[in-house]
Amino acid sequence: MAAEPQEEENPKFAPGEVIHDVATVRGMYQNYFLDYASYVILERAVPAIEDGLKPVQRRILHAMKEMDDGRFNKVANVIGQTMQYHPHGDASIGDAMVNLGQKDLLIETQGNWGDVRTGDGAAAPRYIEARLSKFALDVVFNPDTTEWQLSYDGRKREPTTLPVKFPLLLAQGVEGIAVGLSTKIMPHNFRELCQASIAVLRGKDVQLLPDFSTGGLCDATNYNSGMRGAKIRLRATIEKVDKTMLIIRDIPYGTTTTALMESIVKASEANKIKIKKVVDNTAAAVEIQVQLPTGVSPDLTMDALYAFTDCEISISPNTCVIIGDKPRFVGVEDVLRLSTKATVRLLERELEIRQQELWERWHNASLEKIFIENRIYRRIEEAETWEQILETIDAGLKKFVRVASEKPKANDQRVVLRRLVTEEDLTRLTEIRIKRISKFDGFKADEYLQKLTAELEEVADHLANLTRYAVAYFEGLLKKYGAGRERKTQLRTFDVVTAQKVAVANQKLYVNYQDGFVGYGLKKDEKADVICDCSDLDDIIAIKRDGTFVVSRIAEKTFVGKDILHVGVYNKNDDRLVYNMVYVDGASGISFAKRFLVSGITRDKAYDLTKGTKGTKTLYLTANPNSESEIVTIQLSDKAAARVKQFDFDFAELAIKGKGSMGNIVTKQLIKKIAQKSRGDSTLGGRETFFDAVVGRLNTAGHGRYLGAFDTDETVLVVFKDGSYELTTPDPGNHYDVPSIVLLRKYDPETVLSAVYMDGDTKVHYVKRFRIETSTLGKRFTFITETKGSKLLAVTAHPEPVVEAKVQKDKKGDKETEQIGLHEFIDVKGWKAMGNKLNYYKVHALDLLTDEGPEPQRREAARKRAAGAPAPDAAEAAPDESAVAVTAEEVAQAREVASRSKAQLGLF
């Protein structure tokens, strides 16, 4: 008999130890990992669609409901109660509870619960108290409609999900990180959610946008229903107090005042912004003062705060919820629809339960009435056994009642019951006491049955009209709990703040013309000259004498080539910076002149502004920020064959072209010298400027209302609702607070403003007409009385303004409506004059009537300006504030029409 082969012992394992192969271990790892991932997703991080709660939040609320007696409980006690259901430590429960309490919806708090604005934490659980809010008690709990499960140790029952009759998930928002996925759902406004649910019930489309408890500004242009890939931008509300003070009133959601101040200090230390001091005065409201040094633009600093600090942040929402025990990515509107449908189902279930309870009460009351009024209780005296008693009562009842399923007999007057009489019903009748029978009042019993019948009819009506009932339910929530829950976050559309545009000029640009180096680190180079201030984010352009140039990112020291002719800061979006140039071609000896823009470049790539032949040399070059032309004197060489050795050349005669254009011939003779004779005006005309009321900015890209073409010294007139005005430069970097502005237009010294205001002391109404007599830019001047309560009612720049006033001429008179021509009521006076009184006993209402007459002339004037026609006269211009209503599209159409006309006439 052959010997059995013996297994070799592996010295790495103990005798008898089970050895698994790699495939088995891999399978175990995969299964265990999936189990763990599923647990984290379903039981910890992601909320359920049914109630919008994570398991820990659900268990906290359930524990608080068990403890609820109307009084506050120590949070430490609530945590202890919750630990019977939640298989994790007290710290996680405490943090989750504080988070719920700070949302101010489900939990009513007492004590120091921290502050989400400042980042201050809550006090220890033994010091703070909580109880369920009335809203939570009304909306979240109902044991009759709750599905239950055993707790983790099997000792307790806990809800699978709570029967929440409200889109709680969208109201509170949630954030969680699981294995392989995460969720980030933004909070939304309570009132808007109620209104949106009502709209869903009525079959209307809805759109939900976030609302944050910290307030601030939100650009939800790319919110995309909170789906994956969405993005929202949040900004702090910054108030410009004066030229040396900015105050931050609200902070973006997700940051704190401490973190915000630290980001400001960090940006200041990095020389990205210039500030003098930052002070946190936050108390009941956020107030962070940013003090500026003298000479620093508050508008530029405001943009820099948005670009370099936490005053602007972006959040990427990701709406992931548990639907059917699986994580799903859906939009917030879909979440609302699912929640609203679930609420309707819960309301229907509650009505059905209520209906069943009412029917049982009606059933019992009817049996009791029949039992007593027909003295059936006397028949059981002769019964000897319990069974005989029940049979006697049952037989007595059959004469007076029947079940709805039984076929009625002729003239059957018996009471119709919804179900059979059970032994439990008979037993209940035997338990009626003699005292109650002796005091039985048939009239009251009938009243009670009528009341139950009315309630049953009401419930049946609600069930038949469930949508109407659900709408009334949400309207009730809005009325009962909506007070004080108005939107806190303002929805705006932000302009993009480019870091290069707002970077502080914290460096000096140097150039070594001889050796060909540029940069901000050449301070110790004796051959280097200072060109201008710059920031470390700028690009620079360097043009050499041979007609080549390169654009590079600024650095401490960069070699761009020897024989540098011009160095400056380069802005690729500047379409007004025009270069005037004269160069001599190396091959032919002919001198050319050109005017050009530099655009469409690649960094560190060499470009040639000339024909590129060997020996080419630049004779004259200037950079003109506003496309200014110039006249130069050209002196020819003494050896030139020309009889006239000196003549003037006007660059205004040249068209502005691209950097690659060859230019026009100036002379074929040898040039000895070129010198500037005079500097001309901008050949591109005034800068056409528009006002975008959405972002509160001026622009030259055609967004918003057309203001006009602005030359260098022209300004913008802004009139505010508080009765003041201000002149500003037409700088696109200026911020304009649109809600506080009543009039914004191009300033004309001949413009007459007509205003109606009420004096705060006397309550008398005044009319005044005046011209702007001040010239200080950036300073506000008040043109109404500065007493407390003074109010500007109407202001216009129309030449013949008319207001409609509802007035009372004497104390006992009736209200009358009159139209008042302000230009006929008072002459033009100084801007400090009080004006003339409106001599009425009382002015009840006042409206400014818009005269549409000059509108066609205004639009025609805009079209003529766009087509290059001469400026209109004052009558044609019709200087009303409505002149800004000419849109960018109309200007573009006018240009297109003008271009076609010129082409047809052969003008170009």
Side-chain angles (χ1 to χ4, degrees), residues 401-407 415-421:
V401 301
R402 68 177 177 86
V403 183
S405 60
E406 294 181 14
K407 188 176 181 181
V415 176
V416 181
L417 302 178
R418 288 177 58 88
R419 64 173 178 83
L420 294 172
V421 178

Side-chain angles (χ1 to χ4, degrees), residues 346-561:
L346 287 171
L347 291 174
E348 182 181 21
R349 179 63 182 143
E350 289 180 354
L351 287 172
E352 291 172 348
I353 294 172
R354 173 65 175 164
Q355 187 181 51
Q356 185 62 32
E357 290 175 350
L358 289 172
W359 274 121
E360 283 297 314
R361 289 164 59 185
W362 185 90
H363 178 87
N364 295 331
S366 298
L367 291 180
E368 182 178 316
K369 180 175 181 293
I370 294 169
F371 179 76
I372 297 175
E373 283 187 342
N374 295 283
R375 303 179 185 276
I376 298 176
Y377 57 88
R378 289 187 174 181
R379 301 178 189 180
I380 63 176
E381 295 176 356
E382 299 177 358
E384 297 179 356
T385 64
W386 176 251
E387 289 75 12
Q388 292 178 353
I389 293 174
L390 297 180
E391 290 175 358
T392 302
I393 297 174
D394 186 39
L397 292 174
K398 285 182 179 179
K399 298 179 181 180
F400 302 99
V401 301
R402 68 177 177 86
V403 183
S405 60
E406 294 181 14
K407 188 176 181 181
K409 299 178 181 179
N411 300 323
D412 194 345
Q413 302 295 324
R414 291 180 295 173
V415 176
V416 181
L417 302 178
R418 288 177 58 88
R419 64 173 178 83
L420 294 172
V421 178
T422 64
E423 184 178 341
E424 185 180 354
D425 295 330
L426 301 176
T427 303
R428 189 181 303 109
L429 292 175
T430 62
E431 295 173 352
I432 300 176
R433 296 184 179 183
I434 298 298
K435 184 177 181 181
R436 183 176 171 188
I437 294 175
S438 62
K439 291 186 176 182
F440 179 77
D441 188 335
F443 179 75
K444 290 184 178 180
D446 289 337
E447 280 189 339
Y448 180 65
L449 286 172
Q450 290 175 3
K451 179 182 177 183
L452 291 177
T453 302
E455 291 184 21
L456 281 167
E457 291 176 353
E458 182 182 11
V459 172
D461 179 67
H462 292 333
L463 284 169
N465 301 277
L466 201 56
T467 300
R468 184 188 66 190
Y469 178 71
V471 168
Y473 171 79
F474 280 108
E475 289 175 345
L477 289 182
L478 188 60
K479 182 178 180 180
K480 189 174 181 180
Y481 302 107
R485 297 188 182 274
E486 291 75 17
R487 169 170 282 277
K488 295 182 179 180
T489 302
Q490 301 179 47
L491 297 173
R492 298 280 183 88
T493 300
F494 303 155
D495 52 341
V496 178
V497 179
T498 306
Q500 285 83 351
K501 289 184 178 180
V502 299
V504 175
N506 54 359
Q507 304 286 355
K508 297 285 186 182
L509 178 60
Y510 297 87
V511 58
N512 184 331
Y513 289 102
Q514 183 177 349
D515 297 334
F517 288 98
V518 296
Y520 56 80
L522 304 178
K523 184 176 182 180
K524 297 181 179 180
D525 190 342
E526 296 179 356
K527 301 178 183 179
D529 298 326
V530 177
I531 300 298
C532 61
D533 292 331
C534 64
S535 77
D536 49 15
L537 299 177
D538 285 332
D539 290 329
I540 56 171
I541 182 171
I543 304 176
K544 297 189 292 182
R545 193 170 296 277
D546 62 1
T548 61
F549 78 92
V550 65
V551 175
S552 300
R553 174 76 74 183
I554 194 170
E556 290 190 12
K557 185 177 182 180
T558 302
F559 179 75
V560 295

Side-chain angles (χ1 to χ4, degrees), residues 599-610:
S599 59
I601 58 91
T602 302
R603 283 197 189 102
D604 301 321
K605 178 181 177 180
Y607 292 88
D608 204 323
L609 298 170
T610 68

Side-chain angles (χ1 to χ4, degrees), residues 258-278:
T258 302
L260 187 64
M261 289 183 60
E262 289 177 353
S263 70
I264 294 174
V265 172
K266 185 177 180 180
S268 176
E269 292 174 347
N271 291 324
K272 293 181 178 179
I273 58 175
K274 288 185 178 180
I275 63 170
K276 185 177 181 181
K277 185 191 297 184
V278 56

